[in-house]
Amino acid sequence: FYGGEGESDGFPPGGFPGGENSLMMAGSATKITDFDGWMLRYIWTQIKDDPGRFNAEDLQPPTEPVEISSMSLEDEISDCGDGYVVFANNGRFTYGSDYYGSDESKNLAYYEIGDKISISFSFNKATGEITDVHSLTLITNVRPEYIIGDVNADGEFTVVDTVIMQKWLLAVPDVHLANWKAGDLYNDERINVFDFVMMKRALINKMSEGPIEVQSDFINAPIKAVEAYLPSQDKAKLVIFYVDFPDCKYDYAPSAEEINEIAFGAEDTSDANYPFDSMSAFYNRSSKGSMKLSGTTFRYTAKENAASYGSDKAKLAMECYNAFKDSVDFTQFDGDNNGYIDATLFTVPTKAGDDDWWPCAGPLGRDEYTVDGMKVGHIITGNAQIESITDYKNFNSSYLHEMGHCMGLPDYYLYSGNDFEGLHGTAGLELMDADASSDFCAVSKLQLGWFRKNQIQIYDGSASTQKFTLNNAQQDNGNCVIIPNGNVDDKYQSEYFVIEYSTADRNNSNPNYGIRSGNGVRIYHVDATLFDNGYWVSYKYASGSEFTNGDAGRRFIRIIDDVEKDNYYYAGSVINNSISGFNWYDNSGNASVDPGVQVSVDNIDGNTCTITISKN
């Protein structure tokens, strides 16, 4: 494209944007740049309408194969030509790459042909004569169905397929197409850049249809409205970089395989670290199987000393990804197919210190950075290391809390005042609070979509009295009751009370917290209103929000009777507005408005509890 007078070296005046070589310079480019993309689009605008150059219909992706039953055929060949054959009793079939009109069943290439076939003839193109025609017996089976674009044959068409296709076209070693035919979007029996362009366009159209919904009996997660990247339902992927520095090494350094087992291993109730036996097992229990966490660990020593990354976590993140991107396909870590790696954990030795490395989570903040065409979603950094092959409770519990942020949950502890604990007393345990030692409560599970539709019971304010049964919140049939302030829709992003029957089972069985993991009814006051500041959506009354009054006013979550004592409720307990916190917020953000109802705990019997809600 370049090389005119004064520019014989192939550079345009002023060079290429960004100082990079371009695809336009034969033999000099190492990648396709943004400039190349612009140039190719510009060229297309100039030639796409040339008369007779293109048939627009040929550029449309073929439809997915239709289901056709197997065919058994005994017939005589009555005619044949270049790419077609006519049977005496069954008509004309093609045997090349082109479909016969709109009926794919008329193309022999559509079928998987078995052993019992004989098609033998000679055809002279010059004279059009057919010689040596033989009778044939043809028994076929339907070509196996596949999804257009699914070149890795995993049953779905995603960003992963486009990355594999791109690497295959670039002849990256050891990259194979499990089903090349699924990548033949141009339908010419070959794979080239035209198919790749059509594949990317098809994927964009597919993704524009909206977020993937979990097809199950679980509610649609309200937290999807919050700016976050780790899916709370279905597949969720975590990349772990277990990092040390030249000047800060681990005293105990587990292998990547050992860390994988600690983070993503199967449930083990006999594990001394239980309920933090693994991150995957913990989330599986808490979500009732709705969330399926998996991932991979990479061990890495940073290029510079720890202080170089203390205030620039993005620097460490990009260095880690750059170190592995040529050997790892990171598109596999996009569980919801939104173009972002779901979440990444960068954990460092404990002795790196708390000033720079106290566990925290948030967006990478570098949307211009990509790896394998993927942007990096939430990142977690922290110094909660694995102490030994048998001691990793703090590692799992700390980062389970941080992954709660990656899913969109705020901290439940307070950001101001002398007491930072958000939920006090025996009933105040919650993974998103300061202790991070227990299960998620019903409020978290509601926002995360970890209740089935029939597990959410709502008090009808027009009824004088209603009775409800609460099941053990730590079991798969655990449920809750909501008392709304006015109306509540299926987004659950308003003001309401949530009641659950909490026990010391499963994810609440941490033995280090004794009575604080007891059994009983607990009630939360929630204001899950959202706020869109024009850049992202968050919970308006999360801790530290500008809309809270130094944590004294409205909050995303409070526990009723929020004091350091036994604040579970048992059989015979009555909760009304005489109990601290059992009130709606007034216009000043104070909990002072009588809700006009009372809750009576009727009976607790093992894994069930009955309550009555009545007008006060």
Side-chain angles (χ1 to χ4, degrees):
F1 287 89
Y2 301 104
E5 184 177 355
E7 300 294 338
S8 59
D9 58 0
F11 282 92
F16 291 106
E20 297 182 295
N21 289 342
S22 168
L23 179 68
M24 305 307 170
M25 291 182 61
S28 299
T30 58
K31 64 180 180 178
I32 299 175
T33 67
D34 289 341
F35 175 77
D36 297 322
W38 174 85
M39 175 62 80
L40 291 170
R41 288 192 295 271
Y42 172 75
I43 293 170
W44 175 247
T45 64
Q46 302 305 301
I47 67 175
K48 68 181 178 69
D49 296 324
D50 285 4
R53 183 184 289 267
F54 298 106
N55 180 353
E57 292 183 357
D58 291 341
L59 300 179
Q60 300 306 312
T63 58
E64 295 185 16
V66 296
E67 184 175 353
I68 302 174
S69 61
S70 61
M71 180 177 71
S72 179
L73 172 67
E74 293 186 7
D75 208 342
E76 295 284 337
I77 297 175
S78 62
D79 187 16
C80 64
D82 189 10
Y84 74 91
V85 59
V86 179
F87 301 119
N89 299 315
N90 288 275
R92 186 177 188 273
F93 283 74
T94 59
Y95 54 84
S97 60
D98 295 332
Y99 293 141
Y100 184 76
S102 61
D103 186 356
E104 297 183 34
S105 68
K106 287 293 187 178
N107 182 1
L108 292 180
Y110 180 81
Y111 297 92
E112 293 290 329
I113 300 176
D115 295 331
K116 298 181 179 180
I117 179 171
S118 174
I119 303 178
S120 177
F121 56 88
S122 298
F123 176 68
N124 188 318
K125 283 189 178 181
T127 64
E129 293 180 352
I130 303 168
T131 61
D132 300 326
V133 177
H134 298 277
S135 63
L136 81 160
T137 299
L138 174 64
I139 297 179
T140 69
N141 296 309
V142 177
R143 182 180 61 190
E145 288 192 37
Y146 57 84
I147 297 173
I148 295 296
D150 181 23
V151 294
N152 69 349
D154 65 350
E156 56 183 347
F157 173 36
T158 67
V159 174
V160 176
D161 296 294
T162 62
V163 174
I164 292 174
M165 174 76 102
Q166 182 181 36
K167 289 184 176 181
W168 186 85
L169 289 169
L170 294 173
V172 175
D174 299 323
V175 175
H176 306 285
L177 303 181
N179 183 2
W180 73 269
K181 185 61 180 174
D184 182 21
L185 276 75
Y186 195 69
N187 194 35
D188 60 356
E189 296 295 317
R190 67 188 67 186
I191 299 291
N192 54 33
V193 70
F194 294 105
D195 299 296
F196 181 60
V197 171
M198 294 177 71
M199 178 183 280
K200 292 180 70 175
R201 179 179 177 183
L203 182 65
I204 291 171
N205 291 338
K206 176 176 181 287
M207 294 175 65
S208 68
E209 295 172 358
I212 296 174
E213 301 292 344
V214 177
Q215 300 300 315
S216 72
D217 58 349
F218 285 91
I219 66 170
N220 190 30
I223 208 164
K224 289 180 180 178
V226 176
E227 198 74 14
Y229 298 100
L230 182 66
S232 65
Q233 294 176 313
D234 205 26
K235 296 177 183 177
K237 304 298 183 73
L238 176 67
V239 179
I240 299 177
F241 289 104
Y242 207 78
V243 182
D244 57 12
F245 307 98
D247 66 336
C248 185
K249 299 288 188 179
Y250 288 101
D251 295 325
Y252 170 73
S255 67
E257 293 72 22
E258 289 171 329
I259 301 169
N260 278 340
E261 183 63 24
I262 287 169
F264 309 115
E267 180 180 60
D268 183 0
T269 57
S270 65
D271 190 331
N273 297 279
Y274 186 86
F276 302 110
D277 42 334
S278 83
M279 297 177 184
S280 296
F282 185 97
Y283 275 152
N284 185 66
R285 288 188 294 266
S286 191
S287 71
K288 306 178 176 73
S290 173
M291 181 185 184
K292 300 171 180 62
L293 178 71
S294 62
T296 302
T297 301
F298 303 93
R299 287 285 284 110
Y300 181 69
T301 297
K303 295 178 181 179
E304 302 176 37
N305 290 338
S308 299
Y309 307 93
S311 60
D312 190 358
K313 304 303 191 301
K315 175 183 177 180
L316 178 62
M318 292 186 290
E319 181 181 319
C320 288
Y321 271 114
N322 289 341
F324 290 92
K325 68 180 183 180
D326 291 335
S327 58
V328 178
D329 178 9
F330 284 105
T331 63
Q332 64 185 293
F333 298 104
D334 179 13
D336 56 354
N337 302 321
N338 67 346
Y340 284 82
I341 295 171
D342 293 342
T344 313
L345 166 60
F346 303 90
T347 186
V348 303
T350 300
K351 57 189 177 186
D354 291 340
D355 290 344
D356 292 327
W357 297 102
W358 184 259
C360 62
L364 176 67
R366 300 287 180 89
D367 268 0
E368 75 280 4
Y369 178 76
T370 62
V371 54
D372 285 338
M374 309 285 293
K375 295 182 180 181
V376 178
H378 267 73
I379 67 168
I380 303 167
T381 58
N383 62 349
Q385 70 179 40
I386 296 170
E387 299 299 333
S388 73
I389 194 61
T390 59
D391 184 2
Y392 45 81
K393 185 179 298 179
N394 185 55
F395 174 83
N396 278 346
S397 66
S398 295
Y399 296 131
L400 283 166
H401 170 100
E402 299 304 333
M403 278 190 282
H405 294 316
C406 298
M407 291 185 285
L409 290 175
D411 282 317
Y412 294 172
Y413 59 80
L414 309 183
Y415 285 4
S416 61
N418 296 324
D419 179 15
F420 67 95
E421 190 172 9
L423 309 173
H424 298 84
T426 57
L429 280 184
E430 221 286 344
L431 189 69
M432 299 309 296
D433 202 4
D435 42 56
S437 61
S438 66
D439 198 6
F440 290 101
C441 73
V443 178
S444 300
K445 293 179 182 181
L446 183 67
Q447 293 296 307
L448 294 169
W450 291 356
F451 282 113
R452 294 178 172 87
K453 296 169 184 176
N454 63 357
Q455 293 175 338
I456 301 172
Q457 307 169 89
I458 299 178
Y459 171 70
D460 182 358
S462 65
S464 58
T465 301
Q466 282 184 275
K467 290 185 176 291
F468 299 93
T469 297
L470 290 170
N471 298 321
N472 183 345
Q474 276 56 64
Q475 301 293 332
D476 284 352
N477 67 343
N479 58 355
C480 70
V481 173
I482 293 177
I483 303 176
N485 182 6
N487 297 318
V488 62
D489 61 20
D490 58 3
K491 300 296 184 183
Y492 306 106
Q493 286 156 349
S494 54
E495 185 182 8
Y496 47 86
F497 295 124
V498 176
I499 309 172
E500 71 174 341
Y501 171 46
S502 177
T503 73
D505 297 334
R506 303 178 82 186
N507 284 355
N508 269 355
S509 62
N510 187 344
N512 293 343
Y513 288 85
I515 190 174
R516 294 202 62 191
S517 296
N519 298 356
V521 172
R522 53 183 180 179
I523 305 178
Y524 297 93
H525 184 188
V526 183
D527 192 333
T529 301
L530 298 181
F531 178 67
D532 185 349
N533 66 4
Y535 297 97
W536 62 83
V537 178
S538 61
Y539 291 108
K540 187 173 184 177
Y541 299 109
S543 292
S545 162
E546 61 185 292
F547 299 100
T548 63
N549 180 20
D551 297 318
R554 288 179 183 262
R555 279 195 223 154
F556 172 79
I557 185 172
R558 291 178 180 272
I559 194 163
I560 302 306
D561 201 9
D562 187 20
V563 292
E564 199 65 66
K565 67 172 186 177
D566 183 2
N567 52 356
Y568 277 114
Y569 296 102
Y570 306 100
S573 298
V574 176
I575 305 97
N576 53 36
N577 76 322
S578 67
I579 302 295
S580 173
F582 194 69
N583 291 279
W584 301 128
Y585 292 116
D586 59 28
N587 292 334
S588 298
N590 299 312
S592 65
V593 179
D594 186 352
V597 298
Q598 70 176 24
V599 179
S600 302
V601 181
D602 303 325
N603 182 57
I604 294 178
D605 183 11
N607 282 323
T608 61
C609 167
T610 57
I611 64 172
T612 299
I613 303 177
S614 56
K615 292 287 184 68
N616 188 6

